[in-house]
Amino acid sequence: MTVLLFITSIAVLALAIGRLAPEPWRGRGLNVLKLAVTAGAFYLLLSHPVAMEDGSRVVALTLVRGTLSRIDAGTFWLFCGLAAGIKFIGILASMYRWQLLLRGQNIELPYRHIFGSFLIGRFIGTFLPSTAGLDGYKLYDASRFSGRTVEVTATTALEKVLGVTGIFLSFLVALPFGISLFGDKAALIAGVSVPLCTGIIGALLVVLWYPVIFQWLLEHLPIPGKARLEGLVLRISHAAAAYRHKKRIVVLALALSFVVHFTTAAMYWFTALAIGAFHAEFWPTVLGSSVQILATVLSPFTIAGEGIREAAQYMLLGNVIGPANAIVSAALGFWSAEALTLAGAYFWWARPVNYHPAFCRVDGVQVNYEAAARAATALETEEERERRHAGPAADAPPLLARAMLSGALGLGAGVLGGLVIGVGESLLIAAGGFGPEAQVLWYGPLVYAVFLGGLALAGGLALAVLPMDLDEIRGWTPSLALLGTFVPFGLFIVFFRVHRDVFAEQMPSAPWLLGILGVTGIVALLLFFLGPRLFRGRAGAVTRPIPAMIAAAVVIAIGAIATGGVADGELEQVAPPSVPAALADRPNVLLVMTDTLRADQLSCYGGPVDTPALCSLMENGTIFDAFSHASWTKPATATLLTSLVPSSHGAMSKPAVVPQQVEMIGEVLQGYGYATGGIVSNINLAPSFGFEQGYDEYHYLGPDYLAGALESSSKLILYQLGRRIYFKLKPGMNVEDSYQDAVTVNAAAFDFLDRHRDSRFFLFLNYMDAHDPYFEHPYNGRGIARASNQHPEASLRDEMHRLYKGEIEYLDQNFAVLLDKLRELGIYDDTVIALVADHGEEFYEHGGWWHGLTLYDEQVRVPLVVKWAKGDRAASPNRRGHVSRLIDVAPTLIARTGAAVPEAMQGIDLAGDPASRLEKDRVLFAEEDHEGNVLRALRTADWKWIEANPGNPRGLPTTQLFHVAEDAGEIRDIAASDGRVAADLQRQADAAEQFALSQSAGDGDAAELSESQEDALRALGYIE
């Protein structure tokens, strides 16, 4: 939001200076403004905190100083020379392109003259925004000597279009080789950018091949202020048609544009090498630099794109070559490019006042330079000037009046567009179900109305530069405001939700893409062609700020009233019942799920972290070799609480909700007479996702939300984007920004235990401390978070692991406090305590990080330690050596209470006789459909088989087999050499999945089993 306000303020200030200030203060003011913006951009960039490998944050300026101090002089000058050389090849190509395009307008100038003028323009452009200096001087130079200002202007416009097209071509050429730059978003980026870039290039060629299309569009399309620009528009359209029969020139110019920008992008690879970043890969660097070049070309209000160039390179290549290297190599690229062109100062000084080129021919005839100079200043003929002044609206209103009206109408239109998007997304969130609050019903419309209203206000002020009369402003401003805000934001939100919610974060199918783009295109066309006429009439009243504000107030009020129908806050704490007579000899049940805790880290599992409290449960209990059925929280926890594998309960995607039809452990024990409570800290377990079923009280301890939002509002796309930007810019890290830690969870648990000490209870606790961000303890603002570092460097592994182990130690200390509380209340001995995790974590064991993307043991092997109630010795003291599963936890705990285990539950009582296990009970079936990775795995005590979808974003092989009895780290894939075992495990996985689907508890019908499938399931013990 700060950046948006900064840009808006700059735009308004530039508009005011450019239009209201008299000369010479206008030019001086704009130059001062550009200098201030450039300095401001560098300040924001260099003061930005960067996460270090040890979890600390250092401002970028400090890193830049370190990079500069380590530069080797010999390496520096060698690669700077190469960078300058390859860039100069592009400059020569750009000069020839200009000469070719002028020939297309029948204007001939010698290459020697263009060489000098080009360098003069680049010299001037060193101190001006983007390519304004070069473009402006070339236009002035060619117009002055040819007298064809409009034609040269059309040539300049075509050159700019070809230049941007050259950037797209460079991007497309580098994309296949450098796609790794975009990490797990590579498929999405490629799927969107390839058709977009090729479509733009194709549209350009069609227009140039058939310029009559462009002429017709210019002459017939509605254009704001067209009545005052008609003569100029007609001349530009005719000039643009000059290439109708000169297709060779256009094709050659397009090829030269590719050379210009590809060499520029390649230059940044050499500048990275110049500062010692030898790990920089050529193609990812070229790919990122292509995008950076586009950002630099389009950047307004800076001197030669400085500041913008470095910021773009930092964002694109910071994770590839390092933040400081990205900033320094970008700045060095600018000076490597400009070093040679500073020779333009010589040409500027050496050319006399009366200089003219050796020749300048127009239509094959040498021009008269004095007459050409006079003609160059006349953009309109006398006839055109007389026709314009004779028109019905000769004079536009003053700039200030246009700005006030246009800004107000832009604000109103933006507010209305924001309301539509806010209401739509809020209702979509509501359709997924609310927890104890529904704030989003009023919060969503409010934040979108404010955000889009602010953007449209800035756009309305910018439109005031067009010479429109009041009637045109009333029609065009709302239309263009909605085109610039409502349409693109609506498209983004629809695509985001379809991509995530409908296609499980895979690329939507072609019909969906065409449908989304088609509807968006129709809306855009209607706004452009019919909007101005519609908004000039009575319908335009709604886009005025006061009616729009009233509409916003009404919508927000209705949302607030509707919100009042849902309890605000957590479920009310209920008075605990006394112990029912039937439960007098039954134990309390405490299920503790620690998020993201690997079994192999705990000391009782032979791990490196001393965890005396967590492992103390063994003293009166049993330790199991346990495995999860998924490697991220929602499906794994739903399995833990329902004893159903993910395909059966169906809660496998980010927006998925646990179906009401399933029976969770809390519901079973609640129905048996237990007082039930749940205390969770993971957003995936929020009440709105259905996890509150069966609890007398369920407390979701969410993070400290920004901007007054609550859990329901945190699901808004705009909120998620804003939150991500906020934490990227915010120095330091606070645990409350991500989750509530064990101290807060314990406080809520102690309150529940104090109130239920004399009752019979089931309590489900969820600790988040082992989940990222990994914080330094004691807290000092240092940490490493997945949100800001999706793909850490391999060198970061030891530091991340150190912080992770520190989090486990912190968790163990607070778990000891919980156990002490139980002893203090006198209920420790009479409580069954099950300690388990939902999944593990990856620390580059298989080339990746975090969790949710693979099914290797580091992500699915979890601790499971059960302390039995005093006197309960039904289970043996140790149950290591065979496979236990999350689906077995709920039946085991339910059995301890004497309640009947629901028939739908798929697990077994782990305290039962191991010899009674069927074959299906001796294996783990795990599955995942997350962020485009569709995985299955089957694990026995000795073997592990994993299957992944082809082309998965994580880059996993489609089939793997590991002999885990001898290869616990799953290093040696023997799928190719032991096909018999792989085929047998796949057969079992197919049967497990088919059985799971046949028991589906989702809204759809359960899968029907064929006779052969039933036979296969019967052989494995799934059915009798």
Side-chain angles (χ1 to χ4, degrees):
M1 186 60 71
T2 302
V3 175
L4 174 63
L5 292 175
F6 175 74
I7 294 173
T8 303
S9 301
I10 293 301
V12 173
L13 187 57
L15 176 65
I17 293 175
R19 289 291 175 176
L20 302 179
E23 289 291 2
W25 296 105
R26 178 187 302 173
R28 294 172 182 172
L30 287 174
N31 286 334
V32 171
L33 177 64
K34 295 165 191 171
L35 180 61
V37 173
T38 303
F42 271 112
Y43 173 78
L44 291 174
L45 175 63
L46 296 178
S47 63
H48 175 66
V50 179
M52 301 297 292
E53 291 188 359
D54 62 358
S56 62
R57 287 183 172 243
V58 179
V59 295
L61 178 60
T62 302
L63 298 179
V64 168
R65 287 172 175 167
T67 296
L68 293 175
S69 67
R70 293 189 295 270
I71 292 176
D72 176 75
T75 301
F76 177 82
W77 289 113
L78 170 63
F79 286 108
C80 276
L82 292 173
I86 193 169
K87 173 61 181 178
F88 200 69
I89 292 173
I91 292 175
L92 293 175
S94 186
M95 294 175 180
Y96 184 50
R97 179 184 64 185
W98 179 242
Q99 186 184 40
L100 274 178
L101 292 175
L102 287 176
R103 287 179 186 171
Q105 297 288 351
N106 294 322
I107 300 172
E108 297 179 68
L109 284 166
Y111 188 82
R112 179 177 179 181
H113 167 80
I114 288 177
F115 183 90
S117 298
F118 206 96
L119 292 181
I120 292 173
R122 289 191 65 89
F123 170 70
I124 297 172
T126 304
F127 311 99
L128 293 174
S130 186
T131 59
L134 174 60
D135 294 336
Y137 187 80
K138 287 191 306 173
L139 193 153
Y140 157 78
D141 179 79
S143 299
R144 177 168 63 112
F145 294 119
S146 69
R148 298 294 183 92
T149 302
V150 172
E151 287 73 10
V152 174
T153 302
T155 304
T156 302
L158 176 60
E159 185 190 44
K160 298 302 293 181
V161 173
L162 287 170
V164 174
T165 307
I167 299 175
F168 289 146
L169 281 173
S170 299
F171 178 85
L172 288 176
V173 168
L175 185 63
F177 310 102
I179 192 66
S180 60
L181 172 69
F182 299 113
D184 57 2
K185 300 298 182 185
L188 176 62
I189 296 293
V192 173
S193 61
V194 170
L196 179 63
C197 292
T198 53
I200 291 174
I201 295 170
L204 168 69
L205 292 176
V206 168
V207 169
L208 292 176
W209 248 244
Y210 306 100
V212 67
I213 299 174
F214 182 64
Q215 285 183 291
W216 187 92
L217 290 174
L218 275 179
E219 295 175 13
H220 293 87
L221 274 183
I223 298 174
K226 186 175 181 180
R228 296 166 188 81
L229 301 172
E230 184 176 3
L232 184 59
V233 167
L234 288 174
R235 291 183 66 188
I236 291 176
S237 72
H238 289 300
Y243 302 95
R244 179 188 297 114
H245 303 299
K246 300 172 182 176
K247 296 179 175 60
R248 187 185 68 83
I249 289 179
V250 174
V251 172
L252 185 54
L254 183 59
L256 290 169
S257 295
F258 167 75
V259 174
V260 169
H261 291 292
F262 188 83
T263 54
T264 302
M267 173 191 67
Y268 289 103
W269 182 65
F270 286 103
T271 58
L273 298 180
I275 60 175
F278 296 111
H279 60 287
E281 297 181 43
F282 178 77
W283 287 110
T285 304
V286 169
L287 183 63
S289 297
S290 297
V291 182
Q292 173 258 108
I293 292 167
L294 180 63
T296 305
V297 168
L298 299 179
S299 62
F301 310 128
T302 64
I303 297 177
E306 285 291 271
I308 302 297
R309 172 186 293 102
E310 289 74 14
Q313 203 80 329
Y314 167 80
M315 295 177 64
L316 291 161
L317 296 176
N319 288 337
V320 177
I321 64 175
N325 289 337
I327 294 171
V328 175
S329 65
L332 184 59
F334 169 74
W335 290 109
S336 295
E338 300 306 321
L340 295 173
T341 59
L342 291 178
Y346 164 77
F347 286 92
W348 198 6
W349 172 78
R351 286 182 173 178
V353 175
N354 60 349
Y355 167 84
H356 57 75
F359 65 84
C360 179
R361 291 187 286 267
V362 175
D363 296 328
V365 178
Q366 173 64 40
V367 301
N368 181 298
Y369 289 122
E370 292 183 3
R374 290 193 299 271
T377 61
L379 294 180
E380 292 180 305
T381 65
E382 290 297 327
E383 180 182 354
E384 291 169 344
R385 188 178 298 109
E386 291 176 3
R387 184 169 65 248
R388 178 171 64 82
H389 283 286
D395 298 314
L399 175 64
L400 183 58
R402 298 203 306 271
M404 291 178 63
L405 178 59
S406 187
L409 292 174
L411 172 64
V415 167
L416 289 178
L419 283 179
V420 173
I421 293 177
V423 169
E425 193 176 6
S426 298
L427 292 177
L428 190 63
I429 293 170
F434 286 126
E437 53 82 21
Q439 182 204 52
V440 70
L441 291 177
W442 65 264
Y443 190 90
L446 174 63
V447 295
Y448 274 106
V450 171
F451 181 71
L452 294 192
L455 286 180
L457 170 63
L461 292 173
L463 287 175
V465 302
L466 297 175
M468 294 187 287
D469 59 33
L470 296 179
D471 197 42
E472 287 178 305
I473 292 173
R474 293 188 186 98
W476 275 107
T477 298
S479 297
L480 296 179
L482 290 172
L483 272 171
T485 57
F486 171 74
V487 171
F489 271 91
L491 173 62
F492 173 76
I493 290 170
V494 169
F495 179 83
F496 181 93
R497 289 200 168 271
V498 168
H499 171 256
R500 188 193 69 179
D501 302 347
V502 179
F503 286 89
E505 299 187 273
Q506 299 186 65
M507 179 58 61
S509 62
W512 273 89
L513 283 175
L514 292 174
I516 293 170
L517 294 175
V519 171
T520 303
I522 290 171
V523 172
L525 290 173
L526 289 175
L527 283 172
F528 186 80
F529 286 102
L530 301 182
R533 183 183 305 173
L534 179 68
F535 292 124
R536 276 198 295 265
R538 293 183 178 179
V542 298
T543 64
R544 295 172 185 170
I546 293 179
M549 296 294 186
I550 293 174
V554 170
V555 170
I556 292 168
I558 292 173
I561 293 171
T563 300
V566 180
D568 185 16
E570 298 169 340
L571 294 176
E572 182 180 350
Q573 295 178 345
V574 298
S578 58
V579 179
L583 300 179
D585 61 345
R586 298 300 181 182
N588 297 311
V589 179
L590 175 60
L591 174 57
V592 179
M593 190 193 79
T594 58
D595 206 301
T596 322
L597 181 61
R598 288 172 57 152
D600 63 0
Q601 300 300 295
L602 307 187
S603 54
C604 48
Y605 281 91
V609 185
D610 186 21
T611 49
L614 295 170
C615 293
S616 69
L617 300 180
M618 289 178 56
E619 296 173 4
N620 297 294
T622 304
I623 184 171
F624 298 90
D625 277 334
F627 296 87
S628 177
H629 300 264
S631 64
W632 71 285
T633 297
K634 184 178 289 182
T637 308
T639 291
L640 172 70
L641 299 177
T642 65
S643 187
L644 300 174
V645 296
S647 282
S648 293
H649 62 64
M652 296 180 69
S653 65
K654 290 181 179 179
V657 176
V658 178
Q660 291 290 327
Q661 301 96 306
V662 303
E663 192 168 13
M664 305 179 81
I665 182 174
E667 294 174 284
V668 174
L669 297 182
Q670 186 184 52
Y672 194 58
Y674 275 72
T676 57
I679 300 170
V680 301
S681 186
N682 189 310
I683 179 62
N684 287 294
L685 308 183
S688 57
F689 292 121
F691 283 91
E692 84 290 359
Q693 299 176 44
Y695 294 97
D696 298 320
E697 51 185 277
Y698 190 84
H699 305 278
Y700 165 54
L701 309 177
D704 292 348
Y705 293 110
L706 304 177
L710 295 177
E711 188 258 327
S712 64
S713 298
S714 72
K715 298 179 181 179
L716 292 166
I717 304 301
L718 183 60
Y719 175 88
Q720 294 172 26
L721 290 174
R723 185 178 186 275
R724 180 168 297 186
I725 294 172
Y726 173 78
F727 286 120
K728 277 187 173 292
L729 298 176
K730 177 187 176 183
M733 302 174 68
N734 298 322
V735 63
E736 297 84 3
D737 292 331
S738 300
Y739 58 81
Q740 301 298 333
D741 68 1
V743 171
T744 304
V745 173
N746 275 351
F750 294 171
D751 176 69
F752 179 92
L753 294 171
D754 284 336
R755 290 184 288 110
H756 291 81
R757 61 186 300 177
D758 297 323
S759 63
R760 194 65 69 232
F761 65 81
F762 164 70
L763 177 61
F764 172 53
L765 284 185
N766 162 228
Y767 289 111
M768 279 285 288
D769 302 85
H771 195 287
D772 78 282
Y774 311 134
F775 291 99
E776 187 89 58
H777 289 281
Y779 293 123
N780 58 9
R782 297 170 63 185
I784 298 177
R786 182 177 188 169
S788 58
N789 198 353
Q790 290 280 345
H791 305 284
E793 295 289 336
S795 59
L796 197 56
R797 175 181 177 176
D798 290 344
E799 177 61 17
M800 291 175 65
H801 201 187
R802 180 186 72 82
L803 292 176
Y804 177 71
K805 291 188 290 186
E807 291 280 28
I808 297 174
E809 292 174 351
Y810 178 78
L811 169 66
D812 187 78
Q813 294 164 10
N814 284 281
F815 187 70
V817 177
L818 173 68
L819 298 182
D820 289 342
K821 179 67 175 180
L822 293 170
R823 296 187 181 97
E824 176 190 324
L825 295 174
I827 58 177
Y828 177 82
D829 289 339
D830 296 326
T831 301
V832 175
I833 305 174
L835 170 73
V836 69
D838 53 352
H839 55 77
E841 188 84 319
E842 184 178 5
F843 290 96
Y844 211 63
E845 289 88 348
H846 291 90
W849 305 94
W850 316 114
H851 57 265
L853 305 180
T854 77
L855 293 175
Y856 298 117
D857 272 8
E858 60 264 19
Q859 294 209 24
V860 297
R861 187 179 181 222
V862 295
L864 174 57
V865 186
V866 181
K867 183 200 82 69
W868 312 106
K870 187 176 182 179
D872 184 355
R873 293 293 181 266
S876 62
N878 194 301
R879 216 30 94 71
R880 304 288 297 276
H882 61 70
V883 174
S884 300
R885 308 157 301 176
L886 289 193
I887 57 171
D888 300 327
V889 175
T892 302
L893 297 180
I894 292 172
R896 305 281 71 72
T897 70
V901 177
E903 291 184 4
M905 287 190 171
Q906 298 166 351
I908 63 171
D909 178 4
L910 291 173
D913 182 6
S916 65
R917 282 190 170 190
L918 299 173
E919 185 176 355
K920 71 179 182 65
D921 299 325
R922 298 176 182 275
V923 300
L924 167 86
F925 174 65
E927 55 184 332
E928 198 114 283
D929 188 348
H930 190 54
E931 297 184 2
N933 300 278
V934 184
L935 313 172
R936 297 191 305 165
L938 194 110
R939 195 192 197 284
T940 70
D942 296 328
W943 295 95
K944 176 80 165 287
W945 171 87
I946 306 175
E947 179 185 76
N949 57 312
N952 60 85
R954 180 62 169 75
L956 302 171
T958 55
T959 304
Q960 292 179 286
L961 176 67
F962 303 100
H963 191 195
V964 290
E966 299 177 356
D967 178 21
E970 298 167 294
I971 304 301
R972 297 181 296 278
D973 178 10
I974 56 175
S977 60
D978 206 331
R980 181 187 59 80
V981 174
D984 180 59
L985 295 178
Q986 181 176 4
R987 178 181 64 86
Q988 294 186 57
D990 292 340
E993 181 179 36
Q994 193 61 45
F995 176 76
L997 293 172
S998 73
Q999 304 295 306
S1000 174
D1003 295 333
D1005 295 331
E1008 295 290 337
L1009 297 177
S1010 67
E1011 185 175 344
S1012 60
Q1013 289 172 332
E1014 288 184 354
D1015 290 340
L1017 293 174
R1018 192 173 291 109
L1020 296 172
Y1022 282 99
I1023 60 177
E1024 296 180 359

